[in-house]
Amino acid sequence: MNAFFGLFTNVLLNVLVLSSLCLGVAKLPNDIVFGRILPALGIALPIGNLYYAWLAYRRGVADGRNDVAALPYGPSVPQMFIVTFVVMLPTYIATNDAILGWKLGLIWAMIVGGITLCGILVGPAIRKYTPRAAMLGTLAGVSIAFISMRPAFLIFDTAWIGLICFMIVLISWVGRVRLPFGLPGGLVIIVLGGLMAWTGVWMGWTDLMAPKQVSNSVDLVSLHLPMFSFDVFSVPMDKVWPLLVTAIPLGIYNFTEAMNNVESAAAGGDEYDLRYVLFADGLGGVVGALLGSPFPPAVYIGHPGWKAMGGRVGYSLFTGIFVSIVCFFGLAAFFLSVVPLVAILPILLFIGLVIGAQAFQACPRRHAPAIVLALVPNIAEWARGQVSGALNAAGIATTPVPPETVKALASNGVVYHGMELAGGGAVLAGLMLGAIAVFVIDRRFNWAAVFASFAAVLSFFGFINGSHLAINASPAVSAGYVMAALLFTFLAWRQLKDGEGISWSPIDNDEEGLVHP
């Protein structure tokens, strides 16, 4: 029940956010949002949740255990914003045609899903040869920077509700204190937060909730069934090619994050076949696009957190069922017009805490510096986003930032250009840096040279440490990685010369003596 209320409200929150983005940013009409996009999610999301519940059940039967937790699943949050602000909004501004923007979003989502499916061929091999510290470290960077920061700030922004709800989360899920009558912590914070917010409104203390929004949301409630459509194929190819610039990196991001999440689940005791996970994520994006949704779904970060709450198979199963009902009947706006956002945010902060902690708990202590290094690109990308947001608020262009503004920022201690390069392709960049550090710590310089070479190629094309895809996107960064690869090659050669020997065997991601969460 704890995990169900946590995951369901998390997915519900994201469904509401993407609905708001479609209506308020991409300027899509109600009939497209509530008649096409949400019903498409009402198919894609529940099928994924049911699929992962089945995988968890099968894993439990095979292992003879009843404590296997299903992988969490829902709309990919980074891609929600990217497809809106990079694909649909620019199309609307350029053409004043919101429907064309939606169609291009569908094509974008299908490309992302296709690239994720391609990961089935190479994903298991990459996971086999990549250190756990690198995978969990970059995942911890995502959780700290993009899952924890904003919820923490919003909690303190409305601290009279947010702090008490977060403390209940700590008591129930971290301290494992049984609440009165055995009530699940997720339900308690939703009910308590709602009561506090509406009491404040009735007493005239706050305008946090708006009774008019409740009545407006009720007007949107009606049955909308999904339908297959070929809108995704009705756009000229000359408008499709530019989508590859963002779709390719995001497909790689999806594939990399899925790999990291599978490793996170394995560190928590639940081993899943990466091929099955990539198949579900990729197929969800393709089917969702054919049904009318430009928002690819994905395995969520947070398996250890949901498992720590008590989540097993049922929390995913029932989340899928209830999400389907919400999407088909347009209930998302109603739920979040009744429950304040600040009452749900502590759940996201808890997930961020658990994922950040797991990176250190499930890896050898000597790899701790590598984990910290893997955090850096995601923190850099988060910081760059904050600075860009501040510049936009001040009316200063950020695509690109004017050179005089970059210089002014640098003179005030804000190294914008460095943040932009360090945070480019953050998930993949963190994976590369973390892996290199692990191999240096373990004196496996041959593998450090291999990963430095991969990093040089990725940065050359702008997949990491760059602001955009291009040939020779980041010359200085690529040269640095090349020189590092040569240095590691020299050190490996010296190991052979000194009779120390080198190993090409896969790294042991199940090393004994670890503290598992």
Side-chain angles (χ1 to χ4, degrees):
M1 293 295 288
N2 270 328
F4 163 70
F5 280 105
L7 182 60
F8 173 65
T9 52
N10 189 353
V11 175
L12 182 63
L13 172 63
N14 291 333
V15 168
L16 182 69
V17 169
L18 66 86
S19 301
S20 301
L21 291 173
C22 289
L23 294 168
V25 177
K27 305 301 181 182
L28 289 172
N30 284 344
D31 62 321
I32 293 294
V33 177
F34 295 101
R36 297 295 308 278
I37 294 176
L38 290 186
L41 288 172
I43 289 291
L45 295 181
I47 287 177
N49 285 114
L50 296 174
Y51 175 77
Y52 286 118
W54 174 74
L55 285 184
Y57 172 77
R58 195 178 70 164
R59 179 82 274 166
V61 171
D63 295 349
R65 296 188 291 131
N66 62 0
D67 65 341
V68 177
L71 291 165
Y73 184 77
S76 174
V77 176
Q79 297 183 40
M80 282 171 20
F81 291 95
I82 290 172
V83 71
T84 301
F85 287 100
V86 178
V87 179
M88 293 195 290
L89 177 59
T91 303
Y92 176 74
I93 292 174
T95 65
N96 201 32
D97 187 348
I99 301 301
L100 176 61
W102 169 60
K103 291 179 179 180
L104 288 174
L106 298 180
I107 298 171
W108 183 90
M110 179 169 282
I111 295 171
V112 169
I115 293 171
T116 304
L117 286 172
C118 292
I120 294 173
L121 302 175
V122 297
I126 293 176
R127 184 186 171 207
K128 181 179 180 181
Y129 289 96
T130 303
R132 173 173 288 175
M135 290 186 281
L136 298 190
T138 191
L139 205 60
V142 175
S143 71
I144 292 170
F146 295 103
I147 295 180
S148 301
M149 288 293 194
R150 182 174 173 81
F153 299 158
L154 290 172
I155 285 171
F156 278 92
D157 194 44
T158 315
W160 61 284
I161 295 177
L163 271 180
I164 187 61
C165 289
F166 180 61
M167 295 307 165
I168 292 173
V169 165
L170 288 180
I171 291 169
S172 176
W173 298 341
V174 178
R176 299 182 183 277
V177 175
R178 180 179 173 84
L179 298 181
F181 310 108
L183 291 172
L187 176 61
V188 170
I189 64 172
I190 291 171
V191 173
L192 178 63
L195 288 175
M196 292 178 68
W198 283 106
T199 300
V201 170
W202 290 328
M203 298 295 290
W205 299 337
T206 180
D207 58 356
L208 186 62
M209 309 302 292
K212 186 178 180 180
Q213 287 185 359
V214 179
S215 60
N216 289 343
S217 66
V218 171
D219 294 338
L220 297 174
V221 176
S222 61
L223 179 62
H224 302 280
L225 296 178
M227 64 180 76
F228 272 103
S229 171
F230 296 99
D231 295 306
V232 71
F233 301 116
S234 63
V235 178
M237 284 303 296
D238 64 305
K239 296 185 181 297
V240 174
W241 294 118
L243 300 179
L244 298 177
V245 175
T246 53
I248 291 175
L250 263 292
I252 294 173
Y253 167 87
N254 247 19
F255 151 58
T256 306
E257 188 173 43
M259 181 179 71
N260 293 345
N261 287 329
V262 168
E263 187 63 31
S264 176
D270 297 339
E271 182 73 48
Y272 290 103
D273 190 319
L274 178 60
R275 291 185 179 90
Y276 291 153
V277 174
L278 292 173
F279 173 76
D281 280 12
L283 190 64
V286 172
V287 172
L290 290 174
L291 289 169
S293 169
F295 302 104
V299 165
Y300 275 1
I301 296 172
H303 170 275
W306 304 119
K307 186 168 184 174
M309 294 180 199
R312 298 296 180 258
V313 174
Y315 90 104
S316 179
L317 181 71
F318 284 100
T319 293
I321 294 171
F322 277 83
V323 166
S324 179
I325 294 172
V326 167
C327 290
F328 288 162
F329 287 91
L331 294 171
F334 172 74
F335 274 105
L336 289 181
S337 68
V338 176
V339 179
L341 176 64
V342 70
I344 299 173
L345 294 173
I347 297 171
L348 298 181
L349 183 53
F350 169 77
I351 295 298
L353 296 177
V354 173
I355 295 301
Q358 188 200 39
F360 293 93
Q361 293 170 330
C363 298
R365 291 184 178 180
R366 68 180 185 277
H367 290 167
I371 294 171
V372 176
L373 180 60
L375 301 176
V376 170
N378 284 288
I379 296 174
E381 178 61 14
W382 174 82
R384 187 203 61 78
Q386 295 296 298
V387 174
S388 296
L391 293 176
N392 281 325
I396 299 173
T398 57
T399 52
V401 177
E404 60 273 15
T405 303
V406 173
K407 290 180 180 179
L409 288 171
S411 65
N412 285 276
V414 181
V415 190
Y416 185 87
H417 182 61
M419 286 191 295
E420 187 175 44
L421 291 180
V427 172
L428 202 53
L431 195 71
M432 293 293 110
L433 290 173
I436 290 170
V438 166
F439 290 125
V440 170
I441 291 169
D442 289 349
R443 295 179 58 83
R444 300 181 70 173
F445 297 115
N446 52 328
W447 277 111
V450 170
F451 273 81
S453 300
F454 282 150
V457 173
L458 292 171
S459 64
F460 182 81
F461 292 103
F463 289 113
I464 64 173
N465 305 129
S467 58
H468 60 281
L469 287 183
I471 302 296
N472 201 20
S474 304
V477 176
S478 300
Y481 281 128
V482 168
M483 288 187 286
L486 293 174
L487 174 61
F488 295 138
T489 301
F490 169 75
L491 292 174
W493 171 79
R494 197 172 69 175
Q495 281 181 315
L496 283 174
K497 183 179 178 182
D498 294 343
E500 186 176 336
I502 60 174
S503 172
W504 289 101
S505 62
I507 191 164
D508 183 7
N509 278 330
D510 291 307
E511 185 175 345
E512 295 181 0
L514 304 180
V515 180
H516 288 282

